[in-house]
Amino acid sequence: MRRTAAVAVATMVAFGAHAQAPADWKAKWDAALEKSKGQSLAISVHSQDGYAASIRPFQRKFPNIKVTVTEIIPDAMVTRVLNEQKNHVYAWDVMWASTTNMNSSLIPAGAFQDLEPFLLLPEVADPSNWNAPDYQWTTSKAKQVFIQSLFTTNLAFQNMDNSNGFRVTKLEDLLDPRLKGKIGIRDPYHANGGTWTFGAFLKLGGRDFIKKYFTDMDLVVNMNPRQAADAVMRGDLAIGTGITTDVISRCKRAGGCKNVEPLPFGEIMGTRGVAVFKNAPHREAATVFINWFLSKEGQAAHLAEFAKLNESGAVSRRKDVPPPGPEHLATVPDYAHLDKAFIPGMDEGNEVLEEAMKIYADIKGGPR
């Protein structure tokens, strides 16, 4: 995956080089603060540990805004929002989650609105405050989903207790007959942490490998990350893909999962992003949240809360907000070489992801 010069030029022509705060930002900010008093804020967040907790500092700082937080898997949120908007129901203000479904499903469906007019604070709109400003938006087609975090992660784990001591050390080991029927995947027809691994494996091994993987290994389908995690932690399966790292972290903190470890390959560049829904009913409350959350104060508060519940991945693109500890520092990406990473939450990575899911559907049949 590589962002070409042509894409970069097209982005600059369409939108200008980078966002800047409006000249009258202070007046607009003060007006938003005043009008937000007494408003509600309906925000959807990823159901992974740490997301909802990151909203609590905002609730404490702005007690005059009544915040309702809904924790939901992003692909389930897609179905919910698109059904509602189809029936002219606009109940949500903000979404904050991993960006794959936001970019691949909600932006094309017109579910969001342009975010740039919401970026009032100069420290938020100034690209010099952010690492990798060319990766600020999920797509060159729309400035709707702002990426506040890029982080390296691996969502594929193995349980040594259920593999007869066979340790997977390289991609080709996933085709070993001893693992047949012992590899769990999530819903293979929709973008999620499980299908992200499809894209990572396709990128590493090519079409011939991924076809054999889908055809020969009797993959076991689990429909959500908790089921996938439980199957591996219990030892029902040797390998689980699409397991969010917070589940394994919780297990290890409780003294378990001693033989559960990430695969040494298949690393993914995770993305967390924020957006405002079309016809958001509480515009001023959404404005206050977006600016606070993307400020230095908001990002520092988010990382502090996220790190309490996760052993890695508490990372912000803001240059002035460092990770809260060495274990999180290890997941900071190499910003100078993002063009070599697999980023399923952006257009280029989504193309790889879609190809992998199509190969699965062509082999197994299904809705794609």
Side-chain angles (χ1 to χ4, degrees):
M1 180 192 70
R2 183 177 298 275
R3 286 209 152 190
T4 65
V7 170
V9 170
T11 302
M12 293 179 68
V13 169
F15 300 118
H18 293 292
Q20 296 293 337
D24 57 345
W25 72 268
K26 184 65 165 60
K28 290 185 175 182
W29 176 241
D30 289 343
L33 286 172
E34 184 61 30
K35 291 180 180 179
S36 70
K37 293 177 181 178
Q39 285 189 358
S40 297
L41 178 70
I43 180 168
S44 160
V45 301
H46 200 297
S47 55
Q48 178 182 347
D49 284 353
Y51 280 81
S54 295
I55 309 300
R56 292 174 194 144
F58 175 80
Q59 294 172 293
R60 292 192 292 267
K61 185 175 178 66
F62 299 97
N64 291 322
I65 298 175
K66 183 181 179 181
V67 182
T68 301
V69 181
T70 299
E71 300 179 70
I72 186 170
I73 298 172
D75 51 333
M77 187 60 181
V78 168
T79 302
R80 183 169 180 172
V81 167
L82 294 186
N83 284 336
E84 289 177 351
Q85 291 192 358
K86 182 179 179 181
N87 291 289
H88 308 291
V89 174
Y90 299 95
W92 302 92
D93 295 300
V94 172
M95 183 173 182
W96 174 45
S98 57
T99 68
T100 304
N101 285 279
M102 299 171 77
N103 188 55
S104 64
S105 298
L106 292 176
I107 287 180
F112 296 128
Q113 58 182 295
D114 289 345
L115 193 67
E116 215 165 32
F118 289 83
L119 306 182
L120 299 182
L121 298 182
E123 67 158 301
V124 170
D126 185 354
S128 68
N129 287 330
W130 299 89
N131 287 301
D134 289 338
Y135 289 75
Q136 187 150 291
W137 307 99
T138 58
T139 175
S140 62
K141 302 180 184 74
K143 287 190 170 183
Q144 295 182 355
V145 179
F146 186 105
I147 297 175
Q148 49 82 209
S149 177
L150 287 159
F151 59 98
T152 59
T153 187
N154 194 325
L155 305 181
F157 290 82
Q158 59 182 325
N159 187 328
M160 296 300 298
D161 288 342
N162 196 33
S163 57
N164 299 319
F166 174 61
R167 183 185 296 272
V168 174
T169 61
K170 59 185 182 299
L171 185 68
E172 292 74 17
D173 289 342
L174 291 177
L175 302 179
D176 191 287
R178 286 172 287 186
L179 295 178
K180 191 171 184 178
K182 293 186 176 183
I183 300 175
I185 62 173
R186 284 172 58 189
D187 175 1
Y189 299 106
H190 297 92
N192 58 56
T195 52
W196 291 354
T197 58
F198 289 179
F201 295 166
L202 173 61
K203 212 169 153 55
L204 283 171
R207 292 178 64 88
D208 288 344
F209 169 82
I210 204 72
K211 286 180 179 179
K212 286 183 65 66
Y213 180 66
F214 291 155
T215 302
D216 298 346
M217 298 311 295
D218 291 345
L219 302 174
V220 179
V221 177
N222 298 286
M223 299 309 291
N224 64 54
R226 184 71 222 195
Q227 289 177 341
D230 286 345
V232 173
M233 291 188 296
R234 287 194 306 262
D236 297 342
L237 297 172
I239 306 286
T241 59
I243 299 175
T244 49
T245 55
D246 61 320
V247 179
I248 302 299
S249 295
R250 248 182 283 140
C251 181
K252 288 183 178 293
R253 284 198 300 270
C257 295
K258 298 185 186 304
N259 289 309
V260 178
E261 58 189 41
L263 297 183
F265 53 83
E267 191 173 75
I268 300 160
M269 188 67 65
T271 49
R272 300 187 188 101
V274 64
V276 175
F277 285 103
K278 180 173 65 177
N279 297 334
H282 311 105
R283 184 180 179 88
E284 288 77 24
T287 299
V288 174
F289 174 78
I290 291 292
N291 283 272
W292 174 84
F293 181 65
L294 297 178
S295 70
K296 179 180 179 180
E297 176 188 342
Q299 287 293 283
H302 151 49
L303 295 196
E305 294 296 328
F306 197 85
K308 293 176 184 177
L309 298 168
N310 293 274
E311 294 182 343
S312 63
V315 175
S316 172
R317 274 202 314 114
R318 280 197 70 113
K319 295 177 180 178
D320 51 5
V321 181
E327 65 277 21
H328 299 280
L329 184 62
T331 61
V332 173
D334 180 358
Y335 289 116
H337 297 97
L338 288 175
D339 60 330
K340 296 180 173 61
F342 173 52
I343 314 180
M346 299 184 73
D347 277 354
E348 299 92 328
N350 186 61
E351 292 170 4
V352 177
L353 177 63
E354 288 290 330
E355 181 183 3
M357 289 192 291
K358 184 179 185 304
I359 293 172
Y360 184 93
D362 289 344
I363 293 172
K364 298 293 186 179
R368 295 193 73 78

